[in-house]
Amino acid sequence: MTRMRELRADAPTPDRVRLVPGRQKLLGAAQQGAARRMRLDWRVTAAGGAATVITIAVLVTMLVGDDGPERGVQPAGPDLTSATALLEQAAEVVSEQPDLHPRDGQWVYLKTAQCLNGASDAAPDAKPEVSEEWVQYDSPAREDDKDGDNEPSQRRLYRLLASLPDDPAEIRKQTVDMFPMGKDSGLTGEQIETFALLATLNEAYPVHPQGMAKLYRALAADPGIEVVPHLVKDPLGHDAIAIYPDLGSKAVQRREYLLDPHTFQYRGSQSVVVDDYDEKYPDGWSAGRSYKKGEVTFCEMKVTQSLVDRDGEKP
C-alpha cells in the first residue's frame, strides 16, 4: 500500500460522489463473504486479506483514472535530464489541455511584470514593474505583415498553431515566415529558426493545444535548445522550468524561457548573466557597469493572460 500511495501521489483527489458506486459494490462483496471467511484457516484468511487490499488499490486506481472530467494524472515532476525529454513531456501535457476556442471580436487581457534593463544600477532589489494591456484578438493592424513590424495578431498565431504539420523542419520554416529576422542579426540559419520557434512560444495566446504540442516537439528536436537541470526561481519568486538557446561559450548572457513546472504553460522570459563580466563599449573602453553571474538583467513575466469580450474588461 505504501508503494501504491507513492505511485499515485500526484493523482487528484476523486470526487466523493464518483466513489459511491464502487464503494457500495466493494462493501457488498465483503459482507456476502464475511460468514464464510470466519470458518477459513488463518493462512487462507491472510491471503484473502491481501487480495482485498489489492482489490481496493486497483479500484481506487480505476476510479481516479477514469475518463470523467477529472481524468488524467499529472506527471510526478518535470523531466529535467535533457531538453528533449523535458519538451516531449511538455508536449504530452499541453496536448490534453482545453482549447479556449477564441472568437473574432474578443480581446486578450495581459498583465505583465517587467524587470527593466539597467534598473538594478540604482535599485538592485527593485521588484518587477506590473502593467496591464488589452490586445485585440483579430487586430486589423496586425492581420498582415506589410508594415514590417513583425508583430502578428493573436488570431494569426492561433491559426498558425492550429495548422502546424507534424514535421519539425516544416514547423521551423513556418515560424520563420511568421517571425523573420534581418540578415544582419549575426545568427546562423539554424539559430534564426530556433529563435522563431521561441518567438512563437512567447507571443502566442490563446493557444491551440495540439498545435502547441507540435511546437514543443519541434523544440525537442532542436539541438540548439538546452534546459537548466533544476527548477529556477522566476523574478516573481515562483519555481519555473528554464529552457534557453545555446549560443556558445562566448555568450555572456542567456535568454531563458520559463515554463510552469506543472502545466508546462509559458510564463515569460528573463536574461541571466552567465559569468561575471564588465560591460564595455565597442572600442574597448569600460562602460562603468559590472555584472555578476546569475544576475537577472531583464525579464518579462506574463502574470495573467485571459480572453475577454471587450476592451478594458478584466477577467
Side-chain angles (χ1 to χ4, degrees):
M1 287 300 290
T2 298
R3 181 57 178 160
M4 180 62 67
R5 284 195 294 270
E6 291 173 350
L7 288 172
R8 306 296 296 179
D10 294 292
T13 302
D15 185 354
R16 186 180 298 273
V17 174
R18 291 170 51 216
L19 292 178
V20 169
R23 182 174 182 273
Q24 290 176 339
K25 185 182 295 185
L26 183 64
L27 291 176
Q31 291 169 356
Q32 290 175 6
R36 184 175 61 86
R37 284 198 300 272
M38 290 295 292
R39 297 191 296 269
L40 293 179
D41 180 90
W42 69 269
R43 289 165 294 183
V44 180
T45 303
T52 302
V53 168
I54 294 174
T55 301
I56 294 173
V58 172
L59 178 62
V60 171
T61 299
M62 291 173 63
L63 288 170
V64 172
D66 71 1
D67 289 328
E70 296 179 7
R71 72 179 179 83
V73 178
Q74 294 296 328
D79 185 346
L80 302 176
T81 57
S82 71
T84 298
L86 182 279
L87 291 164
E88 288 287 358
Q89 183 186 22
E92 291 298 321
V93 174
V94 300
S95 69
E96 297 296 328
Q97 293 172 0
D99 188 345
L100 296 180
H101 297 291
R103 306 184 309 274
D104 290 354
Q106 288 188 295
W107 292 72
V108 175
Y109 167 78
L110 178 62
K111 178 187 283 189
T112 59
Q114 287 190 331
C115 316
L116 302 178
N117 196 8
S120 59
D121 291 346
D125 299 322
K127 294 182 179 180
E129 297 181 7
V130 178
S131 62
E132 297 175 302
E133 66 175 316
W134 286 261
V135 178
Q136 191 173 357
Y137 169 67
D138 52 344
S139 169
R142 297 183 178 183
E143 279 296 286
D144 61 58
D145 53 6
K146 296 178 181 178
D147 55 3
D149 62 0
N150 298 334
E151 193 173 11
S153 70
Q154 307 311 121
R155 182 169 69 175
R156 286 182 65 200
L157 289 169
Y158 178 85
R159 290 177 174 177
L160 170 70
L161 290 177
S163 64
L164 285 180
D166 294 326
D167 182 13
E170 184 60 31
I171 292 175
R172 293 169 73 88
K173 293 178 182 178
Q174 292 191 22
T175 56
V176 167
D177 289 341
M178 186 67 72
F179 292 100
M181 297 184 68
K183 295 181 179 179
D184 57 349
S185 64
L187 301 173
T188 66
E190 290 77 11
Q191 289 172 335
I192 288 175
E193 291 178 350
T194 297
F195 274 101
L197 292 174
L198 293 169
T200 306
L201 175 65
N202 179 63
E203 296 293 335
Y205 183 87
V207 301
H208 186 276
Q210 286 72 39
M212 181 56 74
K214 292 178 181 180
L215 186 73
Y216 274 136
R217 291 191 181 101
L219 285 166
D222 190 328
I225 295 292
E226 299 289 343
V227 62
V228 176
H230 55 80
L231 294 179
V232 303
K233 288 291 184 183
D234 70 22
L236 300 177
H238 303 131
D239 286 338
I241 300 164
I243 61 174
Y244 62 93
D246 185 3
L247 298 180
S249 59
K250 293 183 179 180
V252 294
Q253 295 194 33
R254 71 183 179 208
R255 179 81 174 270
E256 294 182 346
Y257 296 77
L258 306 178
L259 310 177
D260 186 284
H262 304 293
T263 65
F264 294 92
Q265 292 182 0
Y266 179 70
R267 274 193 185 166
S269 66
Q270 62 182 11
S271 294
V272 180
V273 177
V274 177
D275 211 345
D276 297 357
Y277 76 97
D278 296 325
E279 188 175 38
K280 295 182 179 180
Y281 293 113
D283 59 6
W285 287 89
S286 174
R289 177 74 172 90
S290 296
Y291 293 90
K292 297 296 183 183
K293 181 178 180 179
E295 183 178 351
V296 175
T297 61
F298 174 79
C299 80
E300 185 175 60
M301 304 301 300
K302 298 180 185 297
V303 180
T304 304
Q305 292 185 103
S306 181
L307 277 172
V308 294
D309 293 327
R310 292 175 296 278
D311 184 14
E313 178 183 354
K314 293 188 178 183

